Amino acid sequence: VEREVERAQIELTASAWLLLLGLGLASGWIVAVASTALIVAMLRARRGQTLRFGLSSLLVIVVGVSTLLFLLLRARQHPWLDQGNPSTWHALIGVLRRVQYPLRTPFDDPMVLHGSGNPGRSLTLLGYQLANYAQYFDWQWAASIGTLARASVPRLVVTLLMATIGIRGARAHRRADPTSFTLIAGLFLLTGPGLVLYLNFKPGPSIGWNLWHDLVVHEVRDRDYFFVASFIAWSVWVAIGLAVMVRDLAPRLALSSRRAAAAVFALALVPLALNWRIADRRHGADATLARDYAHALLASAPPRSVLLTWGDNDTFPLWYAQAVEGYRVDVTVFCLSLHPPMSATVDSVIAANAGWRPVAWSTSATDGVFGRGPLLIQQDLALVLSIDAPTSGLRNLAPFDLSRTRFDAATTRRVIAQLGDLGALERQGHDDLDGGIQWVAALLASPITRLAESDLERGDTTGATALLRRAIRVGDDSLATAVLARLHR
């Protein structure tokens, strides 16, 4: 009887989890299969006198679905930021199904758009994706040791220790309670290696540069947060492993010393101690980088302008600065990646604002210029199209080259002076930043280099040298390095 009750509870848990998954993905066929399985499991629960457990499963489903209902209700209140506007059931399903994003299947090469021209997911790429997951696993236990973008032998030692303890705990768990072991093992495999296969990410910004040299074919940031559930599952086994170690060690000690075996549990504090520094965002080189970048870009935009940005990294900090700090709320931030197709979107934004509002591009959004380079003027981090710029006859303009764009040195100097120093980034440098954040730092450095070149043209070598050194400190600016080397020959 006890086995039947356990089996019924497992069926209820599995079908409830599958139903939540189907609802979260807005997948009709998963919802249908899970609902059928849940009904069958409820009938078995009724026969096995586990109806209370079944009703609890239904309550969990309702609580889970309520988070989706919140999106619908909140969107109907017209919040300041309303991505996807899920204010109707149809729009909510569209948000859950990610209809605004290009299709990507687990069989695709994620760097190429889905379709007949997609070469498919290679074994090389899969190997890097699994290596990325192993890298993220390594970060969980002692991330404050060394630099995350580079391998660290001391950090690896801690990771191997936790992996070994976890394996010992998993084996003890399997012997003591095969049922709950199966649950934790399923959670670990599905939310770890299983998600690697399903999500099919591009290589993260801290891996794969030997094969893929362009940031566009890497994820914009490391996606370790997608695998949190698998790391938690492993942590359960680490906890069990520590308990097993204490249990096995205590009988080997003298009676008066057996309490000392409990000191093994202090190993549970290792992740807390060795993750503390990197989890503390107040002291790293990127401590104020998002805010500094947001203020610099918004300060670069003309009054009442429409500012075109590229993606999350150069958009979310701006929204925070506007919505929370109330900074430069006169600027309308328009993220191009959220409004495909981009070329038609840029034609319509320019046409809608011609003659009364200037349009500007972030220097991160140069792929969205679409032939307008000769008409733009760089003002620090913004590329500005004036109100009276022509809106027709633009198809045959030259390809965009940031270094050849007209440069407003006076406005750039004013913005840089207004912002002052760039916090910890300027004091500590950019060397310890990961690939995605290095990109933002490089954006901040680029106009400093152009301003230095402007000073050189005026004959101000002293001022230019100081700016070039600052650009090299702030971001990985190869041009600044080359110009500075030329000055010191």
Side-chain angles (χ1 to χ4, degrees), residues 311-332:
D312 296 356
N313 286 357
D314 66 343
T315 306
F316 289 0
L318 309 188
W319 283 336
Y320 175 87
Q322 290 183 316
V324 178
E325 299 181 354
Y327 183 74
R328 288 302 306 272
V329 293
D330 61 299
V331 176
T332 299

Side-chain angles (χ1 to χ4, degrees), residues 230-249:
S230 70
F231 304 144
I232 292 174
W234 193 267
S235 298
V236 171
W237 284 335
V238 170
I240 295 174
L242 291 175
V244 170
M245 290 170 63
V246 172
R247 182 196 65 189
D248 294 347
L249 179 62

Side-chain angles (χ1 to χ4, degrees), residues 56-140:
S56 299
S57 300
L58 290 176
L59 179 60
V60 169
I61 293 171
V62 171
V63 172
V65 173
S66 70
T67 61
L68 307 181
L69 184 62
F70 172 82
L71 295 177
L72 177 73
L73 299 177
R74 186 70 182 96
R76 290 181 176 181
Q77 297 174 20
H78 308 292
W80 190 90
L81 184 60
D82 187 14
Q83 292 193 71
N85 187 26
S87 56
T88 66
W89 288 107
H90 179 75
L92 176 61
I93 291 173
V95 168
L96 298 178
R97 289 179 175 172
R98 298 170 55 85
V99 297
Q100 72 182 116
Y101 294 98
L103 177 64
R104 179 197 298 177
T105 74
F107 305 102
D108 285 335
D109 181 336
M111 307 169 205
V112 181
L113 289 177
H114 174 77
S116 57
N118 192 295
R121 189 180 195 172
S122 67
L123 291 177
T124 299
L125 175 60
L126 177 59
Y128 271 88
Q129 291 169 332
L130 292 171
N132 233 159
Y133 174 76
Q135 180 187 37
Y136 297 156
F137 184 89
D138 175 53
W139 291 359
Q140 305 309 306

